[in-house]
Amino acid sequence: MFTASAQDAEEEADNSQRRLNAVVVEATRRAGTTVQDVPVSVTAFDASLLEDTGVARLNDIEQIAPSVQIAQTESAASGTSISIRGIGTGSNNPGFEPAVGVLIDGVYRTRTGIALSELPELRSIEVLRGPQGTLFGRNTSAGVVSINTAGPQFDPEASLGVSGGNYGMYAAEAMATGPIADNIATRVDLKYRQRDGYIDDVNSGRELNNLNRFLMRGQMLFEEGDASLRVIADYGQTDEDCCIGVNLIQGPTAAAVSAAASFAGLQGFANARPEDLKVALSPNRDIRDDVEEWGISGEYKNQIGTISLTSITSYRDWQADRAQDIDFSGIDRAYRDGTEITDKVFTQEVRLQDNWGDLDWLVGGFYMNEELGYTDTIRTGSQANLYTDLVTAGATSALFPGGFQLTGSLGPSVPSLFVTVPFDTNGDGVPGDPALRVAPGVPAGLPPYLIPGLVDGGGQNSDVFEVKTNAAALFTHNEYMVTDRLTATAGLRLNYEEKEISYDLTSIAPACDFFFSADGQSVLQQLAAINATQLALLSCNPAVNSEYNGSDSDSFDETNLSGTAKLAYDFTNDFMAYVSYSRGFKSGGYNLDRSGFDSVLFGGNGAQPTDLQFESETVDSYELGWKSSFNTLNATLNGAIFFQDVQDFQENFFTGTNFRVINSDVESYGLELDVSIIPADGLTLQGGYAYTKAERQGDVIVPLGNGQNQLLASGGTQLSLTPEHVVTASGTYLYDISPNLTALFHLNARYNSEHITSAATAGIADNDAFTLVGGRIGLQTADGKWEFSIFGENITDEYYNLASFAVPEQTGTIAVYPGTPTMYGAELKVNF
């Protein structure tokens, strides 16, 4: 039979009492190594702690991993990003790939959102901090989160679990595992979770930000001699109304929003504070975030003589469908309708590892083929013209009696620019230059308003992007025992990637077409004369600009070397220190957003595929770390001091006229500590601390033309969603009530110091320092037949922002994505 699995090794090491840092980790891709064995800044969480803490999805690990930050914005499926040590990549659209690699049972997930489905029973989670540019998949310039699930067993076992809680939460799960032959074991997991939303829409009564997730997973394990094959097939569905931003600050356009909404008998904004978790949206626009996915993978292991062979093959098919009210208010200004994302990925990895005397060598190869599809639909609503004219009339009322309107939706009661505006258009200091001609197509008998209006249901009717990626890598990772105490590690990875984009864009925006006419150019000139060019964007927003309509394609390829060099010295059997250098790499790509193009109307050179391309990101990381055990105290203390130089850090900014991906330089440095102790029988305490400075190394500036520049972010500032100080702590106490009954008491907490939530809202939507507390109290039988517990998350009902943003086309209005309020419930699990 095959040698004991990692799960068996952990169970044998447990000896009915939790051991400290005894989790077998994959950090160096060697079997049987634990946290204390590897010269890597890694924290691992075993099944017991994960269950006590309530980790059921990738988002939940933030509560126990201090260096990890997870942000969720407009979509759980495609708007979730993860960072380690302050380094991560926003996920505004599928063109952005993560800087933190996520692997589930060794299979690389191409986007953070793709790893957000419900998870089955977990064996362990590893968080590897800093670049992991040698051994793990691709795009691991910030780190790796490796999730390992429970596998099939040859001892028959089954379980049923049910739970319920506030916000109408209920969940059910079932598992069965056991042999079907002497050398074949199987496992089936079923899981369903539902919860009502916790954000109320005051205009429709809808409850938003709910959960509705289903997972079905089957596994089969074949063992024959030294060989084993683990096959996993899964299918999952998500059907949710997510994710909603609530209003924080109303800007000067708020009056126009409220007025337009009142015409429809609705509220423009909820009369509430963010912590009241209320929002005003358009009742006629859907909010949905649906996912359907399936995948199959096979992990084959064998011994070829003394050489260990590992091969992991996988194919995944992931599809998301989104709808969203993107004006984030009660006006029917703009919305997404049927935005679709598809991701089909094949991966293959092969590793060979052996020991030759004092040399432990490993070589391998990795290949990925990905076909990414994105169909976006940003459409203009029934009140788009009304809002435009209310804003322009208000913005110009100080210059002209009653102001002027761009489209004339308010009727003749508000005079138009053609008729009443006596201002200087040619710079000669004389007002009252010749009036503009009447715009073509204006019906007879109506005042000559400036531009054609937006079309209800117009805008992006089908922006189709396709990106094909082929990625290949050869890598080696070698450990050489220089002496009995000194080990040198050298790793190298040769990365090759090629990307090809094609797109076909269709938008209906009559105002944009008009601006290319002689009359339209005159309008832009006169708006510029009163410093009001930005008003034109209300009817010709970059997101719907028909100037970019058409088809095109582009491609690029790149080759990069990444790797690591380390020295580790065992001063004693219980204290090891190491120094390391690691280089990480994250590939470049394409911004899948028509607003990423340069507009001729606003000083650019027109739409070109290269406008959407951004450069690859590299990280040089230097680290001094240690692993220490104190057997007399039954404790461990691990730590690392790090410095990371990030070149061409990838960020997406709104410039005022379009979204652009900017490559800039960032430095990240700090200190990390992990401590654990068993001070008494049955009591386990664990904690972590992270001090992180992640600072821009220069101003982020974009040219606007005519010699003018725009400052998007200042140098020396901390990156968003990166607290300088984070502390995590957890404690679990097992108390034997009787020989057959044990009580469990668990408490966990995470403290975040104050931090900004977006560069665009710095000083406005910052998070004050806050602490999230969770807990569990339960009873379990000594024979493991049943267990019952009550649990709570954010039990002090702390309010905090997951992220913030400046609402498009509503100058000065800020919205935030609120964190989850108090959740509590009870759970019963029966084992057979």
Side-chain angles (χ1 to χ4, degrees):
M1 300 292 287
F2 185 64
T3 56
S5 67
Q7 183 178 2
D8 294 334
E10 289 179 36
E11 291 173 351
E12 292 172 8
D14 186 55
N15 292 327
S16 77
Q17 177 175 285
R18 300 180 181 186
R19 289 184 55 196
L20 300 178
N21 288 333
V23 180
V24 174
V25 296
E26 296 285 333
T28 61
R29 298 299 202 184
R30 269 80 170 177
T33 56
T34 70
V35 173
Q36 299 302 99
D37 299 327
V38 294
V40 179
S41 184
V42 55
T43 303
F45 309 99
D46 63 12
S48 298
L49 178 61
L50 296 171
E51 182 178 1
D52 294 341
T53 311
V55 174
R57 301 172 302 279
L58 177 64
N59 314 54
D60 300 329
I61 68 169
E62 187 181 36
Q63 184 67 6
I64 52 178
S67 293
V68 174
Q69 298 285 339
I70 297 177
Q72 182 173 297
T73 55
E74 61 192 38
S75 164
S78 58
T80 300
S81 61
I82 182 170
S83 65
I84 294 178
R85 294 176 172 175
I87 306 303
T89 302
S91 53
N92 306 68
N93 66 53
F96 301 107
E97 299 178 81
V100 176
V102 178
L103 290 84
I104 300 179
D105 291 319
V107 175
Y108 172 73
R109 303 300 173 98
T110 56
R111 301 294 187 279
T112 301
I114 295 176
L116 286 180
S117 61
E118 205 73 9
L119 294 171
E121 181 182 345
L122 298 175
R123 174 164 58 85
S124 66
I125 290 180
E126 304 167 38
V127 178
L128 284 70
R129 302 181 286 262
Q132 307 296 321
T134 306
L135 289 171
F136 290 89
R138 55 189 290 274
N139 290 351
T140 58
S141 55
V144 166
V145 175
S146 180
I147 300 171
N148 304 298
T149 68
Q153 299 175 190
F154 283 93
D155 294 329
E157 186 180 330
S159 66
L160 292 173
V162 293
S163 59
N166 64 332
Y167 290 99
M169 188 277 288
Y170 65 87
E173 59 182 286
M175 182 279 294
T177 184
I180 59 173
D182 289 342
N183 63 338
I184 302 176
T186 62
R187 180 185 176 106
V188 176
D189 288 273
L190 297 173
K191 197 167 187 178
Y192 177 74
R193 181 188 301 267
Q194 178 176 316
R195 189 203 67 211
D196 295 338
Y198 54 83
I199 295 181
D200 296 323
D201 177 12
V202 298
N203 285 332
S204 68
R206 290 176 292 185
E207 296 178 339
L208 306 169
N209 281 26
N210 65 321
L211 288 179
N212 190 345
R213 299 183 175 188
F214 170 74
L215 172 69
M216 177 171 58
R217 200 170 194 254
Q219 301 184 62
M220 188 171 290
L221 176 64
F222 303 83
E223 293 187 345
E224 187 67 42
D226 290 330
S228 73
L229 173 63
R230 182 186 180 190
V231 177
I232 304 173
D234 65 90
Y235 173 82
Q237 275 189 330
T238 299
D239 182 10
E240 298 172 353
D241 302 329
C242 188
C243 302
I244 303 303
V246 300
N247 181 255
L248 175 67
I249 291 178
Q250 297 176 21
T253 60
V257 171
S258 297
S262 68
F263 290 172
L266 302 172
Q267 295 184 43
F269 301 100
N271 183 22
R273 305 166 301 166
E275 51 266 41
D276 294 330
L277 301 178
K278 295 183 183 296
V279 68
L281 298 175
S282 303
N284 59 325
R285 300 306 175 198
D286 287 341
I287 307 295
R288 69 175 182 271
D289 197 22
D290 300 343
V291 172
E292 184 174 17
E293 63 176 316
W294 64 272
I296 186 169
S297 66
E299 181 180 37
Y300 175 72
K301 294 183 177 181
N302 201 355
Q303 291 292 126
I304 305 173
T306 61
I307 298 175
S308 298
L309 165 68
T310 301
S311 173
I312 301 177
T313 308
S314 76
Y315 178 81
R316 299 205 61 81
D317 187 304
W318 184 87
Q319 302 179 52
D321 176 57
R322 292 175 52 202
Q324 182 186 20
D325 186 355
I326 60 173
D327 53 60
F328 302 94
S329 67
I331 59 170
D332 189 22
R333 165 70 175 161
Y335 60 99
R336 270 194 165 97
D337 179 28
T339 294
E340 297 180 354
I341 309 169
T342 61
D343 194 55
K344 300 179 180 181
V345 184
F346 170 81
T347 62
Q348 173 65 58
E349 182 171 351
V350 177
R351 300 192 304 270
L352 298 172
Q353 183 265 329
D354 195 8
N355 291 285
W356 290 351
D358 293 329
L359 176 65
D360 183 333
W361 60 267
L362 182 151
V363 297
F366 174 82
Y367 172 74
M368 185 198 77
N369 174 267
E370 179 187 29
E371 294 183 1
L372 176 69
Y374 183 39
T375 300
D376 203 8
T377 53
I378 296 180
R379 296 181 177 171
T380 50
S382 59
Q383 293 183 306
N385 294 322
L386 175 62
Y387 174 72
T388 294
D389 287 336
L390 286 169
V391 171
T392 56
T396 58
S397 60
L399 296 173
F400 319 112
F404 69 81
Q405 36 181 327
L406 283 175
T407 72
S409 64
L410 295 172
S413 60
V414 178
S416 76
L417 179 61
F418 289 105
V419 178
T420 65
V421 180
F423 62 85
D424 176 21
T425 59
N426 57 16
D428 61 4
V430 179
D433 290 324
L436 295 170
R437 293 174 302 187
V438 173
V442 173
L446 291 179
Y449 296 105
L450 280 178
I451 65 175
L454 294 164
V455 178
D456 185 8
Q460 286 183 24
N461 273 251
S462 180
D463 275 10
V464 179
F465 297 87
E466 293 183 357
V467 177
K468 296 181 179 179
T469 301
N470 282 293
L474 296 174
F475 57 89
T476 180
H477 187 271
N478 308 290
E479 300 176 356
Y480 180 72
M481 292 189 63
V482 182
T483 70
D484 289 343
R485 294 189 177 276
L486 179 64
T487 301
T489 300
L492 192 65
R493 187 183 187 99
L494 176 63
N495 305 282
Y496 173 77
E497 297 217 4
E498 57 182 19
K499 281 188 170 72
E500 178 182 345
I501 184 176
S502 60
Y503 56 80
D504 186 0
L505 311 182
T506 304
S507 180
I508 300 172
C512 298
D513 300 331
F514 169 73
F515 283 136
F516 278 97
S517 68
D519 288 327
Q521 289 296 305
S522 296
V523 170
L524 290 176
Q525 291 171 8
Q526 296 199 44
L527 288 174
I530 59 171
N531 295 317
T533 305
Q534 292 290 317
L535 294 178
L537 295 174
L538 291 170
S539 291
C540 188
N541 187 284
V544 299
N545 192 344
S546 56
E547 173 190 344
Y548 309 139
N549 284 354
S551 303
D552 210 335
S553 63
D554 190 44
S555 64
F556 73 92
D557 61 80
E558 54 188 337
T559 302
N560 181 276
L561 278 175
S562 58
T564 188
K566 302 181 182 184
L567 285 175
Y569 190 79
D570 294 315
F571 288 90
T572 69
N573 292 335
D574 299 320
F575 181 78
M576 178 262 285
Y578 66 91
V579 292
S580 72
Y581 163 78
S582 297
R583 184 172 179 83
F585 165 74
K586 186 161 86 73
S587 60
Y590 292 99
N591 177 15
L592 306 187
D593 186 342
R594 74 159 55 212
S595 67
F597 290 119
D598 288 334
S599 172
V600 170
L601 291 174
F602 301 101
N605 58 1
Q608 303 170 64
T610 51
D611 293 341
L612 304 180
Q613 186 180 342
F614 51 88
E615 300 298 320
S616 58
E617 175 181 298
T618 58
V619 180
D620 291 303
S621 177
Y622 307 87
E623 190 171 304
L624 170 64
W626 68 91
K627 305 290 179 74
S628 57
S629 301
F630 304 91
N631 294 327
T632 56
L633 299 175
N634 210 358
T636 64
L637 175 62
N638 301 336
I641 301 169
F642 65 90
F643 173 83
Q644 299 183 159
D645 182 16
V646 187
Q647 299 95 41
D648 293 319
F649 180 61
Q650 299 167 358
E651 286 187 279
N652 197 28
F653 288 95
F654 182 62
T655 67
T657 59
N658 67 348
F659 282 95
R660 292 187 57 178
V661 179
I662 308 295
N663 290 98
S664 59
D665 294 336
V666 168
E667 286 184 357
S668 171
Y669 58 91
L671 166 69
E672 297 161 337
L673 296 173
D674 292 298
V675 61
S676 55
I677 186 171
I678 301 179
D681 289 344
L683 178 61
T684 303
L685 304 176
Q686 294 179 275
Y689 169 71
Y691 169 74
T692 306
K693 290 289 288 184
E695 300 177 326
R696 305 179 191 281
Q697 294 308 290
D699 294 341
V700 180
I701 298 174
V702 294
L704 297 179
N706 301 320
Q708 296 182 341
N709 295 318
Q710 181 179 1
L711 176 66
L712 300 178
S714 300
T717 56
Q718 181 92 335
L719 296 183
S720 61
L721 297 171
T722 306
E724 286 191 20
H725 304 278
V726 177
V727 180
T728 60
S730 67
T732 303
Y733 181 54
L734 298 174
Y735 175 71
D736 292 331
I737 299 175
S738 71
N740 298 318
L741 194 63
T742 300
L744 176 144
F745 304 91
H746 172 83
L747 196 67
N748 58 268
R750 176 186 173 107
Y751 165 83
N752 296 270
S753 63
E754 62 182 9
H755 56 277
I756 68 170
T757 54
S758 168
T761 65
I764 302 173
D766 300 351
N767 273 330
D768 293 330
F770 65 93
T771 302
L772 300 178
V773 180
R776 181 179 293 264
I777 300 174
L779 293 173
Q780 56 192 34
T781 58
D783 58 8
K785 290 298 184 182
W786 62 266
E787 51 188 284
F788 173 80
S789 61
I790 58 174
F791 60 87
E793 302 172 14
N794 189 11
I795 58 180
T796 60
D797 203 22
E798 189 79 23
Y799 178 83
Y800 61 101
N801 299 321
L802 292 170
S804 62
F805 61 101
V807 178
E809 298 187 322
Q810 295 181 38
T811 303
T813 296
I814 305 296
V816 295
Y817 292 101
T820 307
T822 297
M823 297 289 172
Y824 57 84
E827 182 177 39
L828 173 65
K829 187 174 183 180
V830 180
N831 299 307
F832 305 95

